[in-house]
Structures are given as C-alpha cells and as structure tokens.
C-alpha cells in the first residue's frame, strides 16, 4: 500500500486528536485556531461544530508535472536522467547557477569567488545564512566533502566525475571559505554541474554505489524538499520554507511519471496534471485547439544521435562487449552517416519540429559554441558516397546485397537498440533499416527497457548501434566529457558515463586544452575543434536537434518563467528558475472534509485505465530511458 503522508484528522470534544487512516495525497487537516474549548480545531459550543466542519479550508497551491520517464536515482551522485538531474537541481544548491536571462554563472551557495594570479586556486565564499532543510547551516565543509567524495570514490564519479578530474585539493579552512586548487587552470570552474550534499547526512553512507537516498523528508538546500517517492510512479516535493531566496510561491510540486507521451497527454487534457514537457511532435500537435492549454515550442538544448560501439574497452583498456568489429573502422561509421537523410527524418519522424543536424552534439541554441560543418567537411545524404567508401575499404556485397568484412569474413549485420514501445524510435528504425540496406548493411531492431538499454550501451557494451541524446548545459564541457577515455567504466562496472566508449588521443588533447584556456574566444575555438573531431571520426552521428515541446494548463498555472527568459525552456531547463517562478491559479477553497482534487498521484498510480478507442495504458511505472532522457 502506498504511503501518502496526508491524513484526515479525527477531532472529538474533550479529546485532542485521534489518528485516522491515510488518504489520497493533498487531503489536509483542519486547524481553525478557535479558542475556549481547550481542543485544537473545534469551537467551544456543540451547535457550531457542524458549521465549522463545513467551513471552507485553505487550498494548497499544488502544481503537478507529468514526466514520461522516472527517476533513475534519488542519489545525486548516480543520477543521469533528465528528470533526475532536474529534481536534484530543484532540491539541492550548487556553487553557482545559470542566470535566468543570460545563462552566465550567477551566485548560488557561493555568494562570491576569486582566483589566484596563476588561476590555479579558486576561493569561494559560502553564503551566510543558507541552511539545510533540517535547520543546520550550509558550510564550506559540505561542499568540500561533496567534491572530495567524487574525487576519491569510483561510484560517486558516475554522474559528474570529469568535472573534478583536474582538482588537486579541496579544503574548507572555515565554515564560509572553500578553497579548490586545480592541477591546471580550469575554465569551467564557475559552471560545475554538481549538487552540494550535506556532509552530516552523507558521511555515514557506507556505499555510494548502492545507496538509494530514500529517507524522507530528504535533506537539501534548494527551493524544494523531496518528501515522498514511489518508485516508477511519482516524486512529491514541498516548498522549502528556509530556502535562502525565500520559499516558492506554490506549496507543493508533484512529479507524476507516465508510461508514454500519449498517457501524459491524456492526463493533461483531463486535468490530472497541469504541465508536461519533453513531448514528441505527435503529442505536442495533439494539444492544439484546447482553450485551456498553452503550447510551448522553443529551440531545444538537446541533440538526438546515433551512438556506435567502436570497439568498447574499460577505463583500463580491457576489451568488453560484443560490438560488431566493422564499427571499429571510421570509414564504416562515415558511410553510415552518408546513408542517412536527416531532412526526411525531421519531416517524417519529428513532424518538422526539429532542426536537421548539420553539426555535432552541441545544438544551435548555444550560438557561441555551436559548430556547423560546411563545404567539404559537411557529410550530406549521399548513398553513392556511402557505397564508394565501403567498396574502397574492402567491404564487398554478397549475392544477398549484404556486405562482408574484408577477406570474406563476417557479414555487416548489426543490431539497432531502441527503447520499448516508443513509436518515434520505431519510425526512425524503419527509415534507417531501409537506408542502410541500400548500402549493404543489415540492421535488426532490438527494443530494450530503460534498465537494459542503459546497462548495455553504457556499461557492458552489448550493442552495435543505439539511439541516444543528451541535454547540453550553457557550458558544454559535460557533454564533451562523455566522450573521454576516463568516462568508460572500470573493470568492475563502476563509474563511467561514457557515450559510445570513444577514446581518442586528439580529442583528449583538445579537451585538456579547452579546459585550461581562460581566453573565451580561444576556448570556443577549441571546443569547435572537438566537435569537428567527433564529426569526422563519427563515434556518434547527430541526426537532429529537437525543438523544446511542452504544454501546460492556463487554468491551473498563472505564470511560469522560462530559462533563458527570452524564448527559453520550462521543464528540463538548465536551472531551477521555471519551477521556482511557478504561480498557481488561485482556486476556490474546498469545503471541509472534501478532497481538494490533490489525490491524483495515488489515483493515477493505483489504476491502469485504458483510453477509449486508443488502448493506451495509463499505468505509470518505470519508463525506458529514451534517446533524450539523459542530462
């Protein structure tokens, strides 16, 4: 039976309170504050009790966000899915956060900072008065412990390991002073994607790699507090009254996990949820014409791409997995690139609501860092060139039209891993199957659930080609770091976070150079060179940059500020500004004893309903990690 954290209060004259049974989330207790009876919640005279029971009760200001994925971990050291990293942004403080207008670093738990003349020592002043949700002060010691844990524990490196690889020492001389000494200058020091955790809570955790962090209310320092989590079903957040900027304007934020976008759409139209993000184009277009709904279509911060298994190895260089050996050949990967018609994918798979990828993994939303392939460097849809490359490399076609390895060896028959029950990826697979068959490569689609997909493409390397994607932060270091040799897992499978097991000396050199380059223009040039290297070596092939597609109910949400504020993102933005800025439409107070309509979490997660005529299950359980699920 699900815990709800909400209880009806049974009151009786001459008694204080009696415990009642659990009800749907959002049911609330009455406390009228009447005096003279000696009993909380009831007026003194019996004749007034009935009218008091019928008196309107204050309505909780609750906003419900529907998400088509579930948390991979409530542990911020391990969480990589977009919903998970978003919720951790809403519940944890960082040293800095992106400014809501410019996306440039602005103060958060660090209210100021300075660097040494040699740029190797950074001194942060931790904000005075910031507290954890349990009342204890946030100190520099908390930040130092967080960073040192990632530096020294392989499991703790899972989400954000590369961000601290260049750290030499991290110390806290006093409660408000954090000192980070780096081995080389580090240009991304003001954009570390690492949530700070409370040392007094986490230092007793014996094994970060297996810790679920599901003791509630969870201790954090962000605008919201995680108070309840039903695995694969929902996360319930409450406003943090001690947040240093002031509590959010809503009382609770409920994140409800749906099995698929169609179910989320149905929930939005019915009013079960107030807001959904990360919509696929068909679901976004299905919202048109409803006067209560606002459609939100802006440039996105993601790239969707294919990832290859180019001969997977652990971080120590030991071969793992069973990828097709032909994919070790960059010519094969480039031939596949030429075989793909990206404009058709945008038109037919994304319904025109995306931008064909004429560059690498950083989307054009970030104009400063975006690199576009032009002239002879551009890989165009050219099946003839794909065939020429494969012929030249010695991959001859057999009588059945399928090529073999040079010397008449293994056929070019490969697996294409997608996610279970995703119609967009199904459609993508159909196009790829035909195009690659035309150049002599046979692919077979494999549908995997989220756990299996993540395990095979990021840990065990039991795949050939897979759909993938990532959200890019204003500073793109993290997305670039997913292609470092160090992001490959250890022999025991810990750490990691790789995106195709790429390990390339030239790419590594460029990464280290951009990390140490404090001249902005020079660093931008180095980052563009890194994108060009990925583009030409093709461990991944960017297909398109999806638009940010969202919808919300204007009869439930009065206002919400995107990030950046000019044509920016709501759910999934690179900061907590949208959820912090939420204003709910004021609703009439509910009579005492009546449910205020806040029981949707339990109602939705407890019932598997079928949408009439569509056969769509609304049961919310663990959803696969989609191509765009990761941060």
């Amino acid at each position: 039976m699900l815990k709800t954290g909400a209880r009806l209060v049974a009151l009786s004259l001459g008694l204080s309170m009696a415990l009642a049974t659990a009800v749907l989330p959002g049911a609330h207790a009455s406390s009228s504050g009447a005096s003279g009876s000696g009993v909380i919640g009831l007026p003194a005279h019996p004749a007034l009790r009935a009218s008091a029971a019928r008196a309107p009760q204050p309505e909780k200001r609750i906003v419900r966000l529907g998400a088509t994925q579930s948390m991979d971990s409530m542990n911020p050291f391990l969480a990589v899915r977009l919903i998970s990293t978003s919720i951790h942004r809403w519940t944890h403080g960082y040293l800095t956060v992106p400014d809501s207008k410019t996306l440039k670093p602005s103060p958060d738990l660090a209210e100021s900072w300075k660097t040494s003349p040699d740029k190797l020592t950074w001194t942060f002043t931790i904000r005075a008065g910031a507290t954890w949700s349990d009342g204890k002060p946030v100190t520099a010691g908390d930040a130092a412990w967080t960073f040192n844990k990632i530096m020294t524990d392989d499991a703790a490196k899972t989400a954000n390991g590369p961000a601290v690889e260049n750290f030499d020492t991290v110390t806290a001389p006093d409660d408000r002073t954090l000192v980070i000494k780096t081995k080389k200058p580090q240009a991304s020091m003001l954009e570390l994607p690492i949530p700070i955790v409370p040392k007094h809570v986490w230092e007793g955790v014996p094994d970060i790699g297996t810790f679920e962090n599901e003791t509630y209310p969870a201790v954090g320092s962000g605008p919201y507090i995680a108070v309840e989590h039903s695995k694969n079903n929902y996360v319930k957040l409450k406003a943090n009254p001690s947040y240093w900027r002031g509590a959010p304007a809503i009382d609770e934020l409920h994140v409800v996990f749906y099995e698929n976008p169609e179910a989320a759409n149905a929930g939005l139209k019915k009013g079960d949820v107030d807001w959904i993000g990360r919509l696929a184009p068909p679901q976004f277009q299905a919202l048109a014409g409803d006067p209560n709904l606002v459609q939100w279509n802006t440039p996105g911060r993601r790239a969707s791409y294919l990832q290859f298994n180019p001969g997977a190895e652990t971080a120590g260089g030991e071969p793992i997995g069973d990828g097709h050996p032909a994919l070790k050949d960059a010519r094969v990967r480039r031939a596949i690139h030429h075989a793909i018609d990206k404009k058709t994918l945008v038109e037919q798979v994304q319904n025109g609501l995306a931008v064909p990828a004429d560059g690498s993994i950083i989307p054009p939303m970030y104009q400063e860092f975006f690199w576009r392939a032009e002239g002879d460097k551009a890989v165009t849809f050219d099946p003839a060139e794909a065939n020429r490359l494969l012929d030249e490399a010695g991959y001859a076609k057999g009588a059945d039209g399928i090529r073999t390895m040079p010397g008449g060896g293994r056929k070019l028959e490969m697996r294409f891993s997608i996610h279970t029950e995703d119609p967009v990826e199904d459609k993508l697979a159909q196009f790829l199957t035909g195009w690659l068959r035309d150049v002599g490569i046979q692919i077979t689609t494999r549908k995997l659930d989220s756990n299996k997909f993540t395990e095979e493409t990021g840990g065990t390397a039991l795949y050939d080609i897979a759909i993938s994607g990532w959200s890019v932060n204003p500073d793109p270091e993290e997305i670039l770091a997913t292609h470092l040799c160090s992001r490959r897992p250890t022999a025991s499978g810990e750490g990691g976070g790789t995106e195709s097991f790429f390990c390339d000396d030239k790419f590594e050199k460029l990464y280290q150079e951009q990390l140490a380059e404090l001249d902005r223009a020079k660093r931008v040039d180095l980052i563009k060179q890194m994108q060009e290297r990925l583009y030409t070596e093709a461990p991944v092939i960017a297909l398109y940059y999806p638009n940010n597609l969202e919808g919300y109910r204007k009869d439930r949400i009065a206002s919400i500020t995107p990030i950046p504020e000019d044509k920016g993102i709501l759910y999934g933005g690179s900061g907590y500004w949208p959820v912090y800025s939420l204003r709910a439409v004021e609703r009439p107070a509910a009579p005492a004893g009546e449910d205020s309509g806040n029981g949707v979490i339990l109602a939705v997660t407890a019932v598997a309903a079928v949408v009439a005529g569509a056969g769509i299950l609304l049961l919310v359980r663990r959803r696969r990690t989609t191509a765009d699920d990761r941060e």
Side-chain angles (χ1 to χ4, degrees):
M1 185 173 182
L2 296 176
K3 298 179 181 178
T4 67
R7 293 171 174 80
L8 293 173
V9 180
L11 302 173
S12 175
L13 187 64
L15 299 174
S16 56
M17 287 186 178
L19 182 65
T21 57
V23 296
L24 297 178
H28 46 269
S30 168
S31 55
S32 68
S35 60
S37 68
V39 181
I40 296 175
L42 282 180
H45 197 285
L48 298 179
R49 294 176 193 168
S51 62
R54 293 192 299 270
Q57 302 301 301
E59 178 76 9
K60 283 185 180 179
R61 295 165 297 183
I62 297 175
V63 171
R64 306 176 188 89
L65 169 64
T68 52
Q69 62 177 169
S70 58
M71 296 285 290
D72 55 343
S73 181
M74 294 298 289
N75 180 339
F77 293 101
L78 305 179
V80 297
R81 292 183 188 168
L82 181 66
I83 186 60
S84 308
T85 53
S86 294
I87 287 177
H88 288 307
R89 276 195 176 99
W90 307 339
T91 56
H92 292 79
Y94 292 63
L95 289 184
T96 65
V97 293
D99 179 83
S100 62
K101 294 182 177 64
T102 67
L103 297 183
K104 293 181 179 179
S106 66
D108 191 27
L109 290 182
E111 62 182 19
S112 63
W113 48 83
K114 61 183 180 181
T115 59
S116 60
D118 63 4
K119 306 300 182 183
L120 295 177
T121 301
W122 290 75
T123 303
F124 295 87
T125 300
I126 300 301
R127 183 172 300 281
T131 63
W132 297 105
S133 53
D134 63 2
K136 297 183 183 296
V138 176
T139 70
D142 296 309
W145 188 90
T146 301
F147 295 136
N148 277 300
K149 188 65 176 176
I150 300 174
M151 292 164 64
T152 58
D153 187 316
D154 283 340
K157 292 176 168 48
T158 300
N160 294 298
V164 301
E165 282 184 358
N166 186 44
F167 287 11
D168 186 15
T169 61
V170 183
T171 58
D174 57 60
D175 284 350
R176 294 196 59 203
T177 306
L178 176 72
V179 179
I180 300 177
K181 293 186 177 182
T182 60
K183 302 168 187 174
K184 296 179 292 187
Q186 183 162 332
S188 61
M189 279 296 294
L190 295 181
E191 301 184 76
L192 299 173
I194 298 174
I196 306 303
V197 303
K199 176 183 177 182
H200 65 278
V201 172
W202 285 82
E203 64 183 346
V205 174
D207 183 0
I208 289 291
T210 60
F211 183 58
E212 296 291 337
N213 190 33
E214 293 187 345
T215 300
Y216 300 109
V219 180
S221 61
Y224 292 93
I225 303 167
V227 296
E228 191 174 335
H229 173 212
S230 175
K231 194 173 182 67
N232 309 323
N233 295 319
Y234 64 83
V235 172
K236 186 174 180 180
L237 309 175
K238 287 189 176 181
N240 181 359
S242 62
Y243 181 52
W244 67 268
R245 292 185 191 271
I250 63 172
D251 299 303
E252 296 181 6
L253 177 63
H254 298 170
V255 184
V256 183
F257 305 141
Y258 281 91
E259 171 66 11
N260 52 53
E262 290 84 0
N265 259 34
L268 183 70
K269 290 180 177 180
K270 288 173 56 182
D272 289 341
V273 290
D274 312 319
W275 167 25
I276 50 178
R278 304 279 313 290
L279 287 170
Q283 288 72 48
F284 176 78
Q285 292 169 328
L287 300 180
D290 190 320
N292 289 317
L293 300 182
V294 174
Q295 290 177 286
W296 194 262
N297 177 6
T298 59
R301 60 183 281 241
R302 307 187 67 81
S304 292
Y305 45 87
L306 302 181
Q307 65 179 90
F308 296 117
N309 184 340
E313 296 179 346
T314 67
E318 300 87 0
I320 57 173
D322 63 355
H324 197 293
L327 290 171
K328 295 179 181 180
D329 189 337
R331 294 169 297 184
V332 173
R333 304 195 296 267
R334 286 195 288 269
I336 291 174
H337 197 171
H338 276 294
I340 297 171
D341 184 350
K342 298 177 184 179
K343 290 183 179 179
T344 294
L345 291 181
V346 166
E347 293 168 0
Q348 300 297 320
V349 176
Q350 292 293 309
N351 294 8
L353 295 173
V355 177
D358 54 0
S360 186
I361 56 178
I362 298 175
M365 173 184 174
Y366 299 114
Q367 296 180 14
E368 182 181 24
F369 291 107
F370 176 63
W371 175 81
R372 175 178 284 108
E374 296 176 317
D376 293 341
K377 295 178 181 178
V379 176
T380 59
F381 175 51
D382 190 345
E385 177 63 12
N387 277 307
R388 188 195 68 78
L389 281 170
L390 293 169
D391 289 342
E392 183 181 85
Y395 298 88
K397 284 186 178 181
D400 59 358
I402 304 304
R403 295 179 182 271
T404 58
M405 298 281 290
R410 181 175 171 180
K411 285 190 173 185
L412 267 59
E413 296 174 337
M414 303 178 187
R415 300 159 294 178
F416 180 43
S417 298
I418 64 173
H419 301 87
T420 305
E421 298 177 358
D422 190 319
V424 171
E425 293 182 15
D426 272 335
K427 200 169 185 179
L428 170 65
Q430 293 172 23
F431 279 104
L432 291 182
T433 299
W435 289 331
L436 294 186
R437 184 69 173 75
D438 289 344
V439 299
I441 300 174
Q442 181 69 52
I443 63 171
T444 302
T445 300
R446 299 178 67 235
K447 298 181 180 182
L448 306 174
D449 66 28
S450 60
N451 292 332
K452 192 71 171 175
F453 188 95
T454 300
E455 175 188 341
E456 291 192 0
T457 60
T460 58
L462 301 176
Y463 76 102
D464 297 319
I465 309 171
I467 189 66
S468 192
W470 209 280
S471 290
V472 180
N473 290 325
D475 187 296
E477 180 194 337
E478 171 59 14
I479 181 64
L480 297 170
T482 63
H483 300 279
L484 294 176
C485 301
S486 60
R487 287 307 291 267
R488 299 172 300 172
T490 64
S492 61
E494 293 186 313
T498 185
E499 188 70 356
S500 83
F501 293 85
F502 191 53
C503 182
D504 176 74
D505 289 343
K506 184 174 180 179
F507 186 85
E508 297 277 326
K509 182 176 182 293
L510 288 168
Y511 179 86
Q512 295 302 327
E513 288 177 358
Q514 67 80 29
L515 191 64
E517 182 54 72
L518 301 183
D519 182 288
R520 183 77 172 184
K522 292 180 180 178
R523 181 171 182 246
V524 167
D525 181 66
L526 289 166
I527 286 174
K528 289 183 176 180
Q529 290 182 52
M530 294 178 71
Q531 294 176 76
E532 182 178 352
R533 183 66 176 173
L534 288 176
Y535 188 84
T536 57
E537 291 300 302
V540 295
I541 295 173
L543 301 175
Y544 41 74
Y545 308 112
N547 290 9
N548 171 60
L549 305 175
E550 308 186 58
Y552 68 87
R553 297 191 65 91
K554 62 183 178 182
D555 57 343
R556 301 285 183 83
I557 294 177
S559 65
I560 180 171
T561 304
I563 182 168
E565 292 183 11
D566 180 26
K567 298 180 181 179
I569 295 171
L570 304 178
Y571 164 63
S574 52
Y576 54 77
W577 296 107
V579 296
Y580 182 65
S581 69
L582 270 173
R583 298 292 187 274
V585 172
E586 294 296 330
R587 301 170 67 186
E594 287 189 14
D595 182 73
S596 62
N598 299 330
V600 66
I601 291 180
L602 189 56
V604 174
T605 57
V607 180
V610 178
V611 176
I616 301 168
L617 292 179
L618 295 184
L619 179 64
V620 277
R621 56 188 183 268
R622 175 173 292 277
R623 190 190 188 279
R624 60 209 170 276
T625 302
T626 71
D628 293 329
D629 273 352
R630 286 169 292 182
E631 171 66 321

